[in-house]
Structures are given as C-alpha cells and as structure tokens.
Amino acid sequence: WCNGGMVLPRVIRLASREDARAIAELSRREIEHGLPWRWTTPRVLRAIRDRSTNVVAALEQDLLVGFGIMSYADETAHLNLLAVNPQSQRRGVGSALLFWLEQVAGVAGIARIELEARQDNEAALAFYRRHGYRTTETMIGYYLGMEDGVRLEKQLGIPLNLERRDAARPGAT
C-alpha cells in the first residue's frame, strides 16, 4: 500500500521461529558488517522466545524486508536492532517498524527508548533524529573496540495506559 507516496510493507507482525534465520542474515549484512557476527540465528530465536523482548518482522509478498528487536525493562526499552533490506529502504519500512515498536512500548508503560548506532552511520543517525531521537553520548570503541558508537534516546511522554487511568479519575484534566 501507499502512504503519502511511500510504499509500506504489506504485513508487520511479531516474528516467528521461521523468520529467525532471515533476520540473523539481514543483521549480519546490514548492521554487523565488519564486526564479528553476534546476532546469529540461535540468538534471534532466544529473542523471539524472550517474554521481555519483541521481535517484529516486515513482510512484502511473504518475504522479510525488515525487522526490529526491542527489549523492555520497567520504564525503558532498548532498541537492539532495526534493519531494512537495501531494496526496500527509503520506502517507509523502517519508519513503520519503528512506529509499531514505539506504540507497543507506549502501551506497555515505557517512558523512554534507548539505542546505539555506529558513529559513522550517518543515514541511521539521520533516520533516528527525524523520528525524535536525540544523541545522549558518544562512546569511544563501543563496538568491540573497533568502532565508536552513539547512544540515542527518545522520551515517549505519558504512557498511554497512565493517560487513560488519569482520564478516568474524577477531576482529571
């Protein structure tokens, strides 16, 4: 489908076991290139099974075109990985995945999302900044001493579940 000239993925859903290998391979190609491969198929499978993590897949014609992996704590979430196939980039897939993950985080009562990106990945940094993320620190040698990283975060504001609860109280504005 189309949204403002952008072609969005036909399906965004929680990833299944069957998606793990494609997710791991996309991570290796698009995120972990030049570094030791850490998000292997077994690690992605563990994330899919982990109750405090969401692994989301974007599909077009039953093919994985992107994914995101986010872990949750009490009030914060950590975006571990987000990647889109090069052929599907700049078509709204990454934005749709990020929006999905942010909405779930808000419903879960998360106040802040944090992530890291390579300092030299200008496209990723620009993408996150366009979506309201701000740089909080630069970390020298963050990626196994091989590359510097940038930590970014986004405040989600009042979580949706708290907003609803307050609205139900007498005298709440």
Side-chain angles (χ1 to χ4, degrees), residues 36-145:
W37 190 18
R38 297 178 65 197
W39 282 91
T40 59
T41 301
R43 185 171 182 191
V44 172
L45 280 168
R46 282 193 303 275
I48 289 170
R49 290 191 300 261
D50 184 353
R51 295 173 55 94
S52 65
T53 301
N54 275 335
V55 181
V56 63
L59 302 160
E60 289 178 4
Q61 300 173 356
D62 295 326
L63 296 175
L64 182 85
V65 295
F67 74 91
I69 300 177
M70 186 177 286
S71 302
Y72 301 86
D74 289 339
E75 296 180 10
T76 61
H78 188 266
L79 182 59
N80 297 301
L81 298 173
L82 182 80
V84 176
N85 276 327
Q87 308 88 312
S88 298
Q89 290 176 359
R90 305 206 189 297
R91 295 178 40 216
V93 175
S95 295
L97 285 164
L98 188 60
F99 179 77
W100 192 101
L101 289 163
E102 288 176 350
Q103 292 302 302
V104 169
V107 169
I110 299 299
R112 184 178 73 243
I113 298 174
E114 302 170 336
L115 65 98
E116 295 81 30
R118 293 183 193 205
Q119 186 176 24
D120 65 356
N121 189 342
E122 293 175 21
L125 295 173
F127 170 82
Y128 289 116
R129 288 182 181 126
R130 275 194 314 275
H131 288 86
Y133 289 78
R134 64 178 186 82
T135 300
T136 59
E137 80 180 285
T138 300
M139 301 159 300
I140 305 302
Y142 179 76
Y143 291 97
L144 303 172

